[in-house]
Amino acid sequence: MNALVALCHFCELHGPRTLFCTEALHPPSPTPSQAGAPIPGDRESDREGEGLTMRANSSATQRGDMCEGCRSLPASHPGFVSVDSETGIRFLSHQHPRQPQLFSVVRQACVRSLSCEVCPGREGPIFFGDEQHGFVFSHTFFIKDSLARGFQRWYSIVMVAMDRIYLINSWPFLLRHLRLTIQSLQSTALKVFDSEQCVCPQRAVRMNSVFSPAVFPHQRSGNAARSLPSLTQHTNLWASLHSSFSWLLKACGSRLTEKLLEGAPTEDTLVLIERQTEQEEEMSCWEGAEGGGSRPQCHQSESELYRDFLFDEGKAEGYPGPKFRSLRHLRQVLGTTDFRQLAWHVLMGNQVILRGADPGLIHSAFTMLKALLPVGCVRSVTYSAQYEEAYRCNFLGLSPDVPIPTHVSSSEFSVLVDVVSLERGSLYSAACGEDILSLYQFNISSTNSQPTDKGPTLLNKMEVALSNENLSVDVVSHCLLCLKEEWMNKVKVLFKFSKVDGRGREDTQKVLALLGATGPGEEDNVRLLKFWMTGLSKTYKSHLMTAVRGGERPLSQ
């Protein structure tokens, strides 16, 4: 990550000062013309970098003498260096950045974080910056000091980066981990403060002392010269902060990755990203309420998100026994007629209930059936000991002894598949290569009287692909993905036309004809499109409504 982390301090004598800073040096990509030339990052450039730091330190020293509270490492100190063996990135820590340009940027961030850019209460996170001087995530905090004015000193940790979007997206991650570092410093300093107060209570000493204008500057000068290691009694504090800041830069840089996409992201991708963001926010809220430690976050690529959605992070692999391997395999086991009936209910949004004693088999069946729907239309309870209502889930797995409520069994908006174990079969024989049909019998029941052989059109095309034995499983999977995207585009058009623009029934019928949703199976097509509207992402709906309002604003004016 192209960012820099710095610890800043508000000195009572010299004002805001940078105490410690960690930056990442990326390995260069050499070209043939540069093969014999010294590259940045070798020993010579390290010496040059140290010279820049020395010059920055000397220039700062010329502006005013530095007290112990303003100094972390002396100019002669080589600093701390850590190397990431995987990427070759080096993390360098010293009191000031290596480059003069960064020195002024960090200096400005330091001054602003400890003066004007503070949150209410002067303790907490805040974001500020601009394109010219970079964007800053700042977290201010107090450290207890028995000799300081008000018995506390003011510090801040800032992260400076030029990428505003990246820094904002990293806000929850940075806040959680910086708070751990800050809480560690505060708790250690509090113990030192309590021990010093027990030996010599400063409050009583100050109240009994005589105030004199001539003595006051000398008192401030003596109290201001306490360094952070002396406040925490941590001899290796700077090495510890180097380790913490280096890890933060590495982890923050690897948690989010840029990926070149051809075209706009799919609706499934947007929904999965929204769900992952909601889970992270809920986790942050729980951790904030409980005050406990944090879990490392894992931001995944589009393919990883979709794979984890389908397979629920590999939960089916934990169950013994047979499993469905693909939609084609499921169709072969159930038979053409029963599979079409089951797939019809899935596409229409009806509740699909699988009841049996093998949770692994039920889980694998749901994994295959999920591929028929957009991600936003899937609500599943994989295996439960009690019935869950249809508004909570449209995929429900039940143990064999769970009764089905009367209002559900008599409803045409649900289908029940009883997975009955045959006596001659066993899970052990399945592991030895027995077929699922030799172990289980599948009984499908539904009160729906509507014929399922006409439509919807999407199901007819899916069956053509599944029945073509010349197509491999992977090809069929990509074919189903393309068909879903085709119909999701039709859903977007219908949503914009009917929900956003508010067109009438006659105009909507013309749009359906234009989309190819009329003719045989028209009723099923319309029902499918309306159900799939519920799977549109919040991002798309928000963007659409914003665009519509933006287009209406000039008309009202």
Side-chain angles (χ1 to χ4, degrees):
M1 180 180 184
N2 293 323
L4 183 147
V5 185
L7 173 67
C8 308
H9 167 52
F10 189 90
C11 178
E12 295 181 3
L13 292 178
H14 308 107
R17 288 299 173 92
T18 304
L19 282 182
F20 193 74
C21 134
T22 302
E23 55 183 319
L25 296 181
H26 294 263
S29 50
T31 60
S33 60
Q34 298 174 336
I39 60 175
D42 60 7
R43 296 184 179 273
E44 289 189 20
S45 61
D46 285 348
R47 296 191 188 98
E48 292 177 1
E50 291 174 9
L52 293 176
T53 305
M54 300 269 286
R55 289 194 292 273
N57 288 342
S58 61
S59 61
T61 307
Q62 291 172 3
R63 290 192 296 267
D65 296 333
M66 296 177 64
C67 62
E68 284 298 320
C70 298
R71 183 183 299 113
S72 59
L73 301 177
S76 58
H77 195 287
F80 301 96
V81 181
S82 296
V83 181
D84 184 1
S85 57
E86 297 178 356
T87 60
I89 298 176
R90 295 188 301 166
F91 300 95
L92 274 68
S93 296
H94 212 281
Q95 180 157 357
H96 298 287
R98 302 170 67 249
Q99 302 177 12
Q101 298 86 347
L102 291 179
F103 177 84
S104 61
V105 171
V106 174
R107 172 65 180 168
Q108 185 183 53
C110 170
V111 172
R112 294 180 67 179
S113 70
L114 294 172
S115 57
C116 57
E117 304 287 357
V118 293
C119 62
R122 299 181 68 194
E123 198 170 19
I126 195 170
F127 181 88
F128 59 89
D130 52 56
E131 296 287 347
Q132 182 179 358
H133 300 97
F135 298 93
V136 182
F137 174 89
S138 170
H139 196 301
T140 51
F141 60 98
F142 291 104
I143 293 290
K144 282 291 185 180
D145 181 5
S146 60
L147 300 180
R149 183 173 54 184
F151 299 105
Q152 60 186 10
R153 298 189 184 274
W154 202 19
Y155 291 85
S156 70
I157 297 179
V158 298
M159 174 173 277
V160 186
M162 299 305 296
D163 193 336
R164 177 177 61 90
I165 301 300
Y166 201 104
L167 205 55
I168 291 177
N169 289 337
S170 302
W171 177 288
F173 176 83
L174 293 174
L175 181 61
R176 183 161 54 252
H177 290 283
L178 285 181
R179 275 180 176 171
L180 293 177
T181 302
I182 292 171
Q183 289 170 2
S184 176
L185 292 173
Q186 288 177 329
S187 60
T188 308
L190 182 60
K191 294 178 182 178
V192 177
F193 174 81
D194 291 338
S195 63
E196 291 178 349
Q197 288 292 84
C198 291
V199 175
C200 181
Q202 288 295 314
R203 189 177 299 275
V205 172
R206 296 182 186 185
M207 293 183 66
N208 294 329
S209 62
V210 178
F211 174 78
S212 172
V215 180
F216 180 67
H218 299 286
Q219 291 177 336
R220 287 191 63 198
S221 178
N223 295 346
R226 296 194 73 185
S227 63
L228 188 57
S230 67
L231 295 178
T232 58
Q233 295 297 316
H234 193 331
T235 56
N236 295 321
L237 175 65
W238 305 122
S240 177
L241 284 178
H242 165 75
S243 177
S244 177
F245 289 171
S246 298
W247 179 89
L248 188 66
L249 288 173
K250 173 179 169 59
C252 194
S254 59
R255 62 183 292 274
L256 295 177
T257 57
E258 294 181 348
K259 183 179 181 181
L260 179 62
L261 298 176
E262 296 181 359
T266 63
E267 281 299 302
D268 285 353
T269 304
L270 292 176
V271 172
L272 289 172
I273 293 175
E274 290 173 355
R275 290 183 179 180
Q276 187 180 41
T277 303
E278 291 174 358
Q279 292 174 358
E280 290 179 1
E281 291 176 352
E282 291 176 0
M283 186 174 64
S284 300
C285 292
W286 276 106
E287 289 172 355
E290 297 176 358
S294 62
R295 301 178 185 176
Q297 291 181 326
C298 179
H299 286 248
Q300 301 163 300
S301 65
E302 178 180 346
S303 58
E304 290 173 334
L305 284 171
Y306 189 69
R307 185 180 65 250
D308 287 349
F309 159 75
L310 287 180
F311 295 95
D312 282 349
E313 299 178 358
K315 292 180 180 178
E317 301 301 326
Y319 296 108
K323 298 175 183 62
F324 292 105
R325 301 182 299 273
S326 64
L327 266 177
R328 178 177 287 170
H329 183 209
L330 179 63
R331 184 171 181 264
Q332 291 172 349
V333 172
L334 296 180
T336 305
T337 304
D338 287 346
F339 174 81
R340 183 178 179 88
Q341 181 182 359
L342 184 62
W344 183 89
H345 282 279
V346 171
L347 293 174
M348 294 297 105
N350 297 338
Q351 188 177 42
V352 178
I353 306 171
L354 267 67
R355 185 169 59 180
D358 188 353
L361 184 69
I362 293 176
H363 192 287
S364 65
F366 284 153
T367 299
M368 301 306 124
L369 293 173
K370 282 181 184 179
L372 297 175
L373 291 178
V375 173
C377 294
V378 175
R379 306 179 309 279
S380 63
V381 176
T382 306
Y383 203 71
S384 175
Q386 62 181 8
Y387 173 77
E388 301 289 348
E389 293 292 341
Y391 71 88
R392 290 201 58 197
C393 58
N394 54 339
F395 291 101
L396 176 62
L398 297 175
S399 53
D401 55 343
V402 177
I404 305 298
T406 306
H407 72 279
V408 177
S409 58
S410 60
S411 172
E412 63 179 5
F413 300 108
S414 65
V415 59
L416 173 64
V417 181
D418 277 312
V419 185
V420 182
S421 300
L422 301 178
E423 295 182 357
R424 66 177 181 273
S426 65
L427 297 182
Y428 177 78
S429 61
C432 296
E434 292 289 337
D435 188 29
I436 294 178
L437 283 175
S438 65
L439 304 174
Y440 299 100
Q441 179 179 342
F442 298 88
N443 301 323
I444 300 179
S445 58
S446 175
T447 59
N448 176 67
S449 58
Q450 183 176 352
T452 62
D453 55 340
K454 294 183 179 180
T457 307
L458 175 61
L459 179 57
N460 297 335
K461 292 182 177 180
M462 286 182 172
E463 284 217 304
V464 170
L466 291 170
S467 60
N468 190 345
E469 297 294 338
N470 295 325
L471 302 180
S472 65
V473 173
D474 291 337
V475 172
V476 171
S477 176
H478 283 83
C479 179
L480 297 182
L481 185 62
C482 294
L483 289 173
K484 283 199 304 180
E485 281 301 305
E486 176 189 349
W487 278 78
M488 278 304 295
N489 290 331
K490 296 180 181 181
V491 169
K492 291 179 180 179
V493 173
L494 186 61
F495 177 81
K496 170 70 168 59
F497 197 80
S498 60
K499 301 296 182 182
V500 180
D501 294 345
R503 299 297 183 92
R505 183 186 183 94
E506 183 178 350
D507 291 337
T508 303
Q509 193 67 24
K510 294 179 180 178
V511 171
L512 290 174
L514 184 64
L515 295 176
T518 56
E522 177 180 348
E523 184 178 351
D524 290 343
N525 289 334
V526 174
R527 187 173 169 183
L528 181 148
L529 291 171
K530 290 181 177 179
F531 169 55
W532 281 29
M533 280 187 192
T534 63
L536 289 173
S537 64
K538 298 177 183 177
T539 304
Y540 174 77
K541 292 180 180 179
S542 175
H543 171 73
L544 203 59
M545 297 304 296
T546 303
V548 170
R549 294 192 191 101
E552 292 175 350
R553 190 173 296 113
L555 296 178
S556 62
Q557 294 173 352

